[in-house]
Amino acid sequence: MGRQLNKNLDDERSLKMNLDMKDLMRIIRKRAWIIGLLIVLAGSAVGFYSYQYIEPVYEASSKVIVNKTRIVEGVEDVTFQDLNAQVQMIGTYKEVVKTPWLLDDVVQKHPELQTTASELASKLEVSSPAGTQVMTFKISDTDYRRAANMVNAVTSEFVAKTPEVMIDNLTVLNRANPEAAPSPVSPNPELNIVIAVVLALIAGVAIVLIVEYFDDSIQSEEVVREYLDLPTLAVINHIKASDLKGTNRYPTNKTQKAGEANYAAAKS
């Protein structure tokens, strides 16, 4: 008996869940135009703004490798301790490359860049994959040629000036090509539109549910049965003016004056 009771409870929960899902879908379908309108407006607005008003940003990069840290006459092999020291030294180099000690000289030697040390530091990104001896310099700018010239100037000055305070163990692997024509790294209009559509969909569903929550009108027979616990005997559908076209609204064309009586003949 206990098993049967639990089964009945489970069936009741499942039925209630199905009914709730049906109600939710009915509510969404009834006001689907709100969701669709929000999606169209959000996607169109974000796409237009991304293509027309956001200035594209380009990225230029160069790479530097940290070489041997121990140079002994007649010894060319590199030990594990040497490699570990090189990797640890990269953290120091990352801090050095963004200091005014280096960037002030870059700005002074390259006035054609028309930038300041602080602006250059804000645009410069230095990274190194874990466990490697390679450092990557990246600079983003709205003009790719300017970004390439900036990153090349920083790289050259870094390699030339660092031995003054550290050891001479840096080699440039590659420089940015100012003549290249890469695609911008931002904005990404397609991604922006997808995000706008998803957010509009969520907002639309939320608005529809809120409107439905505050709507006190009776929308279906199920609502009458739920609140009044009475069966529905008949339903009068909403009649539009267009539904009456082509039909005779009056039983006769005969006009009748006020006060005139109607007579009905009775057969004997």
Side-chain angles (χ1 to χ4, degrees):
M1 182 175 179
R3 294 181 180 178
Q4 183 64 31
L5 179 60
N6 291 334
K7 184 177 182 301
N8 293 338
L9 290 175
D10 293 339
D11 293 340
E12 184 178 353
R13 294 192 192 100
S14 177
L15 179 60
K16 184 177 181 180
M17 183 179 297
N18 292 333
L19 290 176
D20 291 342
M21 290 299 297
K22 288 181 180 179
D23 291 339
L24 180 62
M25 296 306 298
R26 175 184 58 81
I27 294 170
I28 293 177
R29 284 197 303 268
K30 183 173 63 175
R31 294 188 171 90
W33 64 272
I34 297 178
I35 301 175
L37 181 62
L38 285 177
I39 290 176
V40 171
L41 290 178
S44 301
V46 171
F48 179 78
Y49 183 79
S50 297
Y51 281 109
Q52 299 296 327
Y53 290 98
I54 300 181
E55 194 170 9
V57 176
Y58 300 88
E59 185 178 82
S61 64
S62 63
K63 292 182 182 295
V64 172
I65 187 171
V66 180
N67 299 320
K68 293 188 298 182
T69 61
R70 182 171 63 92
I71 302 177
V72 180
E73 185 177 356
V75 179
E76 296 295 335
D77 60 324
V78 179
T79 65
F80 176 77
Q81 287 78 9
D82 293 329
L83 294 176
N84 189 40
Q86 292 166 13
V87 172
Q88 292 180 354
M89 192 173 293
I90 290 177
T92 303
Y93 286 154
K94 287 181 180 179
E95 296 298 322
V96 170
V97 73
K98 286 193 173 186
T99 60
W101 173 78
L102 179 70
L103 297 182
D104 284 342
D105 285 357
V106 174
V107 172
Q108 184 178 0
K109 293 180 180 180
H110 299 275
E112 73 278 3
L113 297 178
Q114 297 180 350
T115 186
T116 63
S118 59
E119 181 184 2
L120 199 57
S122 65
K123 294 182 177 181
L124 178 62
E125 178 185 347
V126 184
S127 62
S128 177
T132 69
Q133 300 168 240
V134 178
M135 298 177 61
T136 302
F137 298 79
K138 294 180 182 179
I139 286 185
S140 300
D141 194 81
T142 55
D143 186 337
Y144 174 75
R145 180 185 293 271
R146 183 167 179 257
N149 291 332
M150 282 182 176
V151 76
N152 288 338
V154 171
T155 303
S156 298
E157 191 65 22
F158 174 68
V159 173
K161 194 173 182 179
T162 299
E164 296 178 9
V165 293
M166 304 288 287
I167 62 176
D168 187 3
N169 65 336
L170 299 174
T171 302
V172 178
L173 293 178
N174 70 277
R175 299 179 184 273
N177 181 12
E179 304 302 325
S183 301
V185 294
S186 67
N188 188 342
E190 292 79 9
L191 178 61
N192 294 344
I193 292 174
V194 170
I195 294 175
V197 167
V198 172
L199 293 179
L201 176 62
I202 297 174
V205 172
I207 292 174
V208 166
L209 295 178
I210 292 174
V211 171
E212 181 69 20
Y213 178 79
F214 288 102
D215 187 1
D216 295 332
S217 61
I218 297 176
Q219 302 290 338
S220 65
E221 304 172 30
E222 289 76 12
V223 177
V224 176
R225 188 180 302 111
E226 178 181 354
Y227 286 98
L228 301 181
D229 195 22
L230 295 174
T232 303
L233 300 179
V235 177
I236 302 176
N237 293 326
H238 178 71
I239 301 177
K240 302 178 183 178
S242 59
D243 297 333
L244 300 177
K245 291 183 179 180
T247 61
N248 187 8
R249 302 185 184 184
Y250 303 99
T252 179
N253 292 330
K254 180 180 178 181
T255 59
Q256 179 178 340
K257 297 181 180 179
E260 185 177 354
N262 291 327
Y263 297 94
K267 292 184 180 180
S268 56

